[in-house]
Amino acid sequence: MIMSTVKIFIADDHGVVREALKRFIDSQPDFEVVGEASGGLEVMEKVRLSRPDIVIMDLGMPGLDGVKCTANLLKANPEAKVIALTAHEEASYIKDCLAAGAKGYVLKRSLVEELQLALSVVARGGTYLDPLVSVKLQEMLSGPHDTTSAASKLSEREIQVATLIARGLSAKEIAKQLNISVKTVETYKARALEKLSVHNRAELVRYALEHGWLADEPAK
């Protein structure tokens, strides 16, 4: 449990996206939105005034792109943490964003629960990568010819379920988080284990660690 309310700042050039994120975050008991901005230059000044704990950063903003904004923001506000929320899935964006100091990277096409999990992990001092991002990084590191890897055979949902299982969540917890039934979770789990050629949670955890699926452990 997060002991005090975590202050969130939203940086995105689309008003509809900002409003949807604000409604979602303000509905969570441990988080509150303390500011928002539509451009990179605007972010710097507003973050200085609002002093958020976490900044949700779009990478495609006008004026100053999200990667440069992240680097500049963290130099001026080293206590802040940045989670990239973006449509960009290219490995170059992922690497540059993490190199700039971001503590999280979530794809906009992922379920909203992915952002919720990222906020919780980063708020506790950890680093969170969208499972789909982790797979892309692994594919990049494996080389251009490794297109038949076991992980590439998994669906997006199978990757999500397998990653959450590896993190220690029960089928019931996963079902609640992804808004699906426990039976459906078990089905995705069985398919993932078969495709990865692993037989239990311990082997799945080992696979996830070796392939970069797991975020850093949150600080205790």
Side-chain angles (χ1 to χ4, degrees), residues 87-134:
H88 291 293
E89 302 184 28
E90 298 88 343
S92 59
Y93 277 98
I94 302 168
K95 291 194 301 179
D96 289 347
C97 198
L98 296 178
K103 291 296 183 181
Y105 200 103
V106 178
L107 299 178
K108 285 186 175 180
R109 70 185 179 97
S110 293
L111 296 174
V112 71
E113 288 83 5
E114 209 64 53
L115 176 60
Q116 183 180 32
L117 186 55
L119 287 169
S120 296
V121 170
V122 171
R124 291 182 172 89
T127 300
Y128 185 86
L129 297 181
D130 190 309
L132 301 179
V133 167
S134 296

Side-chain angles (χ1 to χ4, degrees), residues 167-186:
R167 288 189 180 125
L169 275 69
S170 67
K172 185 176 181 180
E173 290 171 328
I174 295 171
K176 181 178 180 181
Q177 185 160 300
L178 300 183
N179 195 29
I180 56 180
S181 69
V182 172
K183 184 177 180 180
T184 301
V185 171
E186 294 293 351

Side-chain angles (χ1 to χ4, degrees), residues 11 37-45 57 61-66 69 73:
S38 60
L41 296 176
E42 183 186 5
V43 171
M44 300 298 296
E45 178 63 17
M57 183 78 71
M61 293 184 297
L64 187 66
D65 68 63
C69 187
L73 184 151

Side-chain angles (χ1 to χ4, degrees), residues 147-168:
T147 58
T148 58
S149 65
S152 68
K153 300 176 183 178
L154 270 63
S155 69
E156 293 181 16
R157 185 66 97 182
E158 287 165 353
I159 291 172
Q160 289 176 320
V161 169
T163 302
L164 293 174
I165 290 171
R167 288 189 180 125

